[in-house]
Amino acid sequence: MASALRSIKSLAPLLDRVLVQRVKADAKTAGGIFLPESAQKELNQANVLAVGPGALDKKGNRLPMGVSTGDKVLIPQYGGSPFKVGEEEYSLFRDSEILAKINE
């Protein structure tokens, strides 16, 4: 890759892709004990940062996306296309791969 992304805001997902960032696990237990990074479990929750315009059906009509920017979602443990911008990690998933939307 000749040039690295300078900012995640310059990335716009295409078709039915969804840009997410996993929610970081707590570094400390409820009792106040700090956990080392190796003991922290990766969460399946993520925040939606950007969504594509939607896939096209056979007639050329746009299919609506199931999530929108700012939603909290449940994503699969594995899959998607992970990448880094600086020290931050992000993933691109298809709209159909997202397991659920978390309503709070």
Side-chain angles (χ1 to χ4, degrees), residues 81-99:
S81 300
F83 62 95
K84 283 181 129 181
V85 176
E87 293 297 315
E88 296 291 323
E89 294 183 17
Y90 302 94
S91 295
L92 276 169
F93 285 92
R94 287 189 179 274
D95 187 43
S96 60
E97 293 175 333
I98 297 200
L99 302 175

Side-chain angles (χ1 to χ4, degrees), residues 40-102:
Q40 293 176 14
K41 210 167 97 175
E42 200 171 73
L43 298 177
N44 287 7
Q45 291 183 14
N47 294 317
V48 176
L49 303 177
V51 297
L56 298 173
D57 65 9
K58 292 180 181 180
K59 294 181 182 180
N61 299 319
R62 288 259 178 228
L63 298 173
M65 297 291 284
V67 296
S68 57
T69 303
D71 287 345
K72 284 192 175 190
V73 294
L74 188 66
I75 57 175
Q77 183 70 30
Y78 301 103
S81 300
F83 62 95
K84 283 181 129 181
V85 176
E87 293 297 315
E88 296 291 323
E89 294 183 17
Y90 302 94
S91 295
L92 276 169
F93 285 92
R94 287 189 179 274
D95 187 43
S96 60
E97 293 175 333
I98 297 200
L99 302 175
K101 189 157 96 171
I102 301 171

Side-chain angles (χ1 to χ4, degrees), residues 12-34:
L14 299 176
L15 296 174
D16 63 340
R17 301 287 199 286
V18 179
L19 175 66
V20 300
Q21 184 176 28
R22 282 187 190 268
V23 174
K24 301 222 187 287
D26 289 334
K28 163 167 102 162
T29 66
I33 298 171
F34 286 96

